[in-house]
Amino acid sequence: MSEMQNIQWFPGHMTKTKRQIQSSLKLVDAVAEIIDARIPVSSRNPDINKIIQNKPRVILLNKCDMANQNATKKWIEHFKNEGITAIAVDCKSGYGLNRFAPSVNMVLSKRLENLKAKGMVNPTLRIMIVGIPNVGKSSFINRIAKQNRAKVEDRPGVTRGNQWYTIAKNLEMLDTPGVLWPKFDDKIVGEHLAFTGAVKDQILDTELLTVRLLDFLKELRPKDFIARFKLENTDLNEIDSYELLNIIGKKRGMLISGGEIDTERAAIMLLDEFRSAKLGRITIEMP
Ligand code: G4P
């Protein structure tokens, strides 16, 4: 798990982070906001629009390898309707990353024209990455930096302490991402972040969390989930989720002495399997 998720957000820290991001924003032309394609609502910072203001932006729906493909398409359409360019990427395999630079160039086409009109020849455009912990910011930066060339050498005009990667012709990326906080005061957001493993299990009851996940799976009925636990003949509308957890535990032979079902172990297993997409490519939040 990413170290980043251990961050404890408190007001002073949030103010400091915001200030850091705002000072980095002065150095860039656009922002790439990384979110989790399975939970495009809960994996966003609630103040993102205020923080980045009117900077051109590209949204990266990361971990699309674990999200439902149709749902991801709908999200891309949804953002498009809001006037935001979004692309689906998977930083594990590198899928979709080739569309990144062209998308950035597209959202910056006006700016590019303006710079050229001012007489700049081949202006270099700069971007930065922002996102809440665990959405894949470091994975993205590592992938895209490796795929392209090494760091930009120190040179006049570039603030010391900021490192840049050249990631395409005339396109540079700041090497440190802006780490934003999620929405804390919403129970559903907390649950969805916990389903994906973006927040620590210790702060939530595992069985309770899994029962909530099962509430959701019962309704959605993902094919892989049904097949994996042979639930074809189980009337999912009729049983409550705790009962379902027991059925699943039993099917897996997870018993404690006395023949009782080890629901705690079953819950941990289910969460693990959900997080590694063994239950299928599942999107939790729809536009
Ligand atoms: P962060 O900087 O935003 O905090 O996120 P980070 O890159 O550390 O990624 C968090 C976790 O998500 C990592 O898993 C990473 O491998 C995984 N990840 C990032 N992008 C993708 C993606 O597109 N698809 C999938 N399937 N996973 C992705 P981890 O469990 O912390 O470590 P590990 O499994 O890499 O060892």
Side-chain angles (χ1 to χ4, degrees):
M1 282 294 164
S2 154
E3 277 172 29
M4 286 303 193
Q5 72 177 302
N6 298 330
I7 291 179
Q8 291 297 314
W9 295 99
F10 52 90
H13 188 183
M14 284 159 71
T15 309
K16 193 170 160 228
T17 306
K18 204 148 109 185
R19 216 177 287 135
Q20 275 167 352
I21 293 180
Q22 273 157 354
S23 84
S24 296
L25 278 171
K26 294 197 184 106
L27 308 173
V28 299
D29 302 287
V31 173
E33 181 192 356
I34 306 192
I35 64 180
D36 185 322
R38 296 167 298 173
I39 46 167
V41 178
S42 299
S43 61
R44 296 187 83 184
N45 170 275
D47 301 329
I48 185 74
N49 293 335
K50 250 202 319 220
I51 293 171
I52 69 170
Q53 307 236 353
N54 45 7
K55 281 277 169 195
R57 160 174 33 174
V58 173
I59 287 184
L60 303 180
L61 288 154
N62 190 35
K63 309 197 187 189
C64 74
D65 55 308
M66 298 200 279
N68 178 278
Q69 282 147 299
N70 278 326
T72 302
K73 267 189 210 143
K74 285 193 180 136
W75 275 109
I76 291 173
E77 204 51 41
H78 165 84
F79 286 121
K80 194 174 166 189
N81 292 337
E82 285 190 345
I84 302 173
T85 301
I87 58 173
V89 297
D90 157 11
C91 291
K92 272 232 153 120
S93 72
Y95 168 86
L97 295 184
N98 57 339
R99 280 194 303 257
F100 180 61
S103 305
V104 173
N105 280 319
M106 198 180 75
V107 304
L108 285 174
S109 55
K110 259 228 174 84
R111 167 129 180 94
L112 206 55
E113 270 172 38
N114 286 343
L115 290 171
K116 284 182 176 163
K118 280 184 190 156
M120 284 183 82
V121 187
N122 284 332
T124 294
L125 297 170
R126 299 204 177 93
I127 54 155
M128 73 175 292
I129 308 299
V130 300
I132 68 163
N134 218 40
V135 287
K137 296 177 298 300
S138 345
S139 306
F140 175 79
I141 291 173
N142 288 337
R143 266 251 163 211
I144 205 126
K146 241 180 239 154
Q147 220 160 279
N148 297 280
R149 264 153 306 125
K151 286 189 175 177
V152 177
E153 293 303 319
D154 269 350
R155 53 151 199 261
V158 176
T159 318
R160 210 166 259 291
N162 286 310
Q163 291 284 331
W164 299 86
Y165 290 107
T166 299
I167 59 164
K169 195 165 174 279
N170 302 324
L171 183 61
E172 292 179 1
M173 176 180 71
L174 191 61
D175 75 339
T176 29
V179 183
L180 290 162
W181 55 93
K183 195 167 187 212
F184 317 99
D185 49 3
D186 186 313
K187 187 168 162 270
I188 304 286
V189 169
E191 262 174 19
H192 291 182
L193 287 168
F195 288 166
T196 64
V199 296
K200 286 219 157 199
D201 284 351
Q202 282 94 310
I203 52 174
L204 294 146
D205 180 281
T206 310
E207 278 182 67
L208 222 58
L209 182 66
T210 307
V211 164
R212 295 291 292 136
L213 178 64
L214 284 171
D215 284 344
F216 176 82
L217 293 175
K218 264 176 21 188
E219 216 167 289
L220 196 71
R221 308 175 135 268
K223 271 204 315 280
D224 293 348
F225 167 68
I226 302 286
R228 196 168 179 85
F229 298 108
K230 304 194 171 54
L231 296 168
E232 292 84 356
N233 298 320
T234 309
D235 188 352
L236 293 178
N237 297 326
E238 283 305 308
I239 52 174
D240 82 69
S241 296
Y242 190 70
E243 176 72 31
L244 182 57
L245 181 63
N246 271 276
I247 293 173
I248 288 171
K250 194 171 174 193
K251 286 191 189 232
R252 283 288 169 93
M254 292 177 163
L255 304 176
I256 22 183
S257 58
E260 227 177 288
I261 292 154
D262 191 345
T263 44
E264 168 97 38
R265 238 182 96 206
I268 294 170
M269 174 223 28
L270 260 173
L271 277 179
D272 263 6
E273 297 198 352
F274 172 77
R275 288 172 187 167
S276 51
K278 290 197 179 96
L279 307 182
R281 296 176 63 157
I282 300 169
T283 298
I284 301 276
E285 295 168 350
M286 293 300 290

